[in-house]
Amino acid sequence: MNLETVDRPVVPAADRAWPPGFLWGASTSAYQIEGATTADGRGASIWDVRVHEPGRVTDGDTGDEACDHYHRYAEDVGLMRRIGLDAYRFSVSWPRVLPTGRGTVNAAGLDFYDRLIDSLLAAGIEPWLCLYHWDLPQALQELGGWENRDSAGWFADYAVLIARRFGDRVKRFATFNEPAVFTIFGYVLDWQAPGIKNRDSYLAAVHHVNLAHGAAVDVLRDLVPGAQIGAIHNRQPCRPAGSEPGDLAAAELMDLCWNQAFPEPQIRGTYPPRFAEAIERWVKAGDLARICRPTDWFGLNHYSPIYMKADPSAELGFAWTGPPPDEPQTGVGWVIDADAFRDTLAEVHRRYRLPIYVTENGYGADDRLDERGEVVDPDRIRYLDAYIGAMGEAIDGGADVRGYFVWSLLDNFEWGSGFGQRFGIVYVDYATQQRRLKASAKWYADRIRAARAVTAGR
Ligand code: IFM
């Protein structure tokens, strides 16, 4: 299926029955929406540092204020309720609750998440808490960050704090969001914090993040009765950019790093052979058993295929490149290919045999308010319709998919691209902090209502 050739999914999302208990949600992350980066005792993260270095983010944007969700969370929960969400995935800002990453706890930071969680529960929305969405406390970076093997212990201690404080009300936990993305972008390409370009740093970080995942799973399992624990992986087909022999090798190598380096050891207990050789130096006896702890679900983030070409001068020998110009693309130039989403869901199901939650999927564009003060975003609606339809096809083919979270609830700080790339179904006017449901939010609300009605009546 391709948006150019098929206008509607085979079974329109609106008309089909979804598995009983299927969850409809939306996702965000702390640094991208909270703002209030110096309020109430919050410490600095690696992103607070990076955004204030000249030239790192388009237009010099920062997350200092972002969507000011720290102060406006109640309004945002109200929006979720209007849309009719079953679930909301957010991340905790580690430096907000532990300003230097370990040791002294910031009570005001914990109080904020108490208020958020309680508001969600009062609105009938299930909180999904992600421990790490890229904002490592800067104090820990100064000790080596993820390159330091002790990071697994720091992360486990942070997980203890979160489990003890919120485990009475939160049952769905994710350890990491997209570990492949923040390790490749942060340690190989220097597109993200902490801004390193070094093969050894990258390999060390991968292994220590895997160890941290395993340690946190054990903590959550021990401390939270009934916890449902997963990790979230951004899985996307890696395609060669051209027909040069090196391009195919580059795509295969990227597939190892992007799609396999985390789920394989976490769920199957081994690094893929080529990767295992490279990472051997950091792996100690017993580590794979520490990493491979039983989890309850697979979080799948998926947007688009990605394209690679050979680059012998690059740290890992490949370079990221733009998509072929003839492919349909989103407003931020990502290829639209709903078939690839369906096939990825099927592949994840076959390989890992865990219930799948689509924890991110969405459409980025430079949305603008029209003269009536509305955002009409038919391209986003078409994209979501096609991708949700493809998810339905994957379910029909046997994939055990149990929920879908759109990225994102709100327009927000899109890392190195700043505020120019809008992924929200709710428009945020950053000057006034006014929120406005886009047409896609109203469409999503209708879809959720229709899905519930069809599923209830089947
Ligand atoms: O905004 C990001 C998010 O933080 C991680 N997944 C992809 C999104 C869009 O780029």
Side-chain angles (χ1 to χ4, degrees):
M1 186 203 319
N2 177 310
L3 285 188
E4 283 205 321
T5 53
V6 178
D7 281 335
R8 304 278 306 159
V10 177
V11 179
D15 301 342
R16 59 167 300 126
W18 297 88
F22 194 90
L23 294 179
W24 297 97
S27 292
T28 63
S29 89
Y31 187 74
Q32 291 179 274
I33 65 166
E34 284 181 4
T37 51
T38 53
D40 301 338
R42 178 188 179 279
S45 76
I46 54 176
W47 270 95
D48 295 292
V49 173
R50 183 167 177 94
V51 298
H52 288 286
E53 292 167 0
R56 294 301 200 184
V57 179
T58 306
D59 295 333
D61 290 341
T62 76
D64 292 357
E65 187 178 341
C67 308
D68 196 29
H69 172 77
Y70 183 72
H71 297 112
R72 293 167 197 266
Y73 71 89
E75 180 184 353
D76 294 337
V77 172
L79 293 169
M80 297 176 212
R81 194 179 192 161
R82 269 175 75 188
I83 297 168
L85 301 185
D86 297 310
Y88 172 60
R89 178 173 77 94
F90 63 97
S91 73
V92 170
S93 158
W94 186 349
R96 195 179 288 292
V97 298
L98 284 163
T100 55
R102 53 193 188 144
T104 308
V105 171
N106 181 29
L110 291 172
D111 291 348
F112 165 68
Y113 294 107
D114 270 338
R115 293 193 294 276
L116 173 63
I117 290 165
D118 291 344
S119 310
L120 289 166
L121 292 172
I125 299 166
E126 186 181 22
W128 283 54
L129 186 158
C130 178
L131 288 172
Y132 189 82
H133 199 126
W134 308 357
D135 46 355
L136 185 74
Q138 176 62 19
L140 298 183
Q141 183 59 34
E142 282 158 21
L143 299 175
W146 296 115
E147 288 180 68
N148 184 336
R149 191 175 162 100
D150 291 347
S151 55
W154 306 331
F155 192 66
D157 291 346
Y158 161 54
V160 169
L161 175 71
I162 297 301
R164 290 211 172 115
R165 178 67 171 234
F166 306 121
D168 57 338
R169 287 155 290 159
V170 178
K171 299 295 172 192
R172 310 276 198 159
F173 291 94
T175 54
F176 285 89
N177 184 74
E178 299 180 2
V181 179
F182 76 79
T183 50
I184 294 175
F185 287 4
Y187 291 85
V188 178
L189 298 173
D190 186 16
W191 290 354
Q192 294 200 344
I196 293 167
K197 260 188 172 177
N198 181 286
R199 182 179 183 274
D200 284 356
S201 302
Y202 163 73
L203 291 166
V206 168
H207 188 59
H208 300 147
V209 167
N210 273 325
L211 283 171
H213 159 84
V217 172
D218 284 347
V219 164
L220 294 164
R221 190 75 70 207
D222 286 352
L223 296 182
V224 182
Q228 291 278 304
I229 308 163
I232 295 172
H233 304 288
N234 188 335
R235 203 170 176 95
Q236 303 181 265
C238 298
R239 296 181 177 164
S243 48
E244 299 295 316
D247 292 347
L248 183 60
E252 283 171 1
L253 189 54
M254 181 59 156
D255 180 61
L256 278 182
C257 301
W258 190 267
N259 292 323
Q260 302 184 41
F262 292 94
E264 288 295 304
Q266 290 179 8
I267 305 171
R268 294 166 61 98
T270 52
Y271 282 108
R274 267 179 81 194
F275 205 92
E277 263 169 55
I279 209 163
E280 200 174 30
R281 204 174 113 196
W282 289 274
V283 181
K284 296 194 175 162
D287 276 4
L288 283 154
R290 289 184 190 101
I291 292 168
C292 181
R293 313 301 299 150
T295 49
D296 304 298
W297 50 274
F298 188 107
L300 174 70
N301 292 359
H302 180 100
Y303 293 83
S304 144
I306 51 181
Y307 295 82
M308 298 297 133
K309 65 173 191 242
D311 179 359
S313 69
E315 279 303 315
L316 296 181
F318 58 70
W320 191 287
T321 176
D326 47 341
E327 298 280 337
Q329 295 175 21
T330 68
V332 296
W334 296 2
V335 162
I336 299 170
D337 183 348
D339 284 351
F341 181 43
R342 180 201 56 214
D343 296 347
T344 301
L345 285 164
E347 183 205 343
V348 167
H349 171 72
R350 272 195 307 273
R351 188 149 186 90
Y352 299 114
R353 296 283 159 189
L354 282 171
I356 301 168
Y357 289 90
V358 176
T359 34
E360 284 185 27
N361 171 243
Y363 182 99
D366 176 17
D367 299 302
R368 305 279 166 99
L369 292 171
D370 67 14
E371 58 294 343
R372 293 167 306 142
E374 305 286 343
V375 178
V376 181
D377 52 348
D379 293 340
R380 178 172 290 107
I381 293 173
R382 265 195 295 278
Y383 174 97
L384 295 176
D385 197 31
Y387 274 65
I388 291 172
M391 175 172 71
E393 289 178 38
I395 293 171
D396 293 344
D400 181 9
V401 186
R402 302 198 184 174
Y404 174 91
F405 293 68
V406 71
W407 182 270
S408 177
L409 176 71
L410 303 171
D411 289 337
N412 60 48
F413 177 78
E414 178 56 17
W415 308 112
S417 305
F419 294 110
Q421 297 195 353
R422 293 175 177 269
F423 280 81
I425 56 172
V426 175
Y427 182 86
V428 177
D429 177 338
Y430 297 110
T432 62
Q433 289 298 350
Q434 267 196 337
R435 277 85 162 126
R436 183 140 202 107
L437 297 190
K438 298 181 189 176
S440 55
K442 297 172 192 162
W443 173 89
Y444 192 44
D446 287 347
R447 284 294 169 274
I448 295 173
R449 255 194 307 276
R452 279 201 196 111
V454 176
T455 304
R458 73 177 181 178

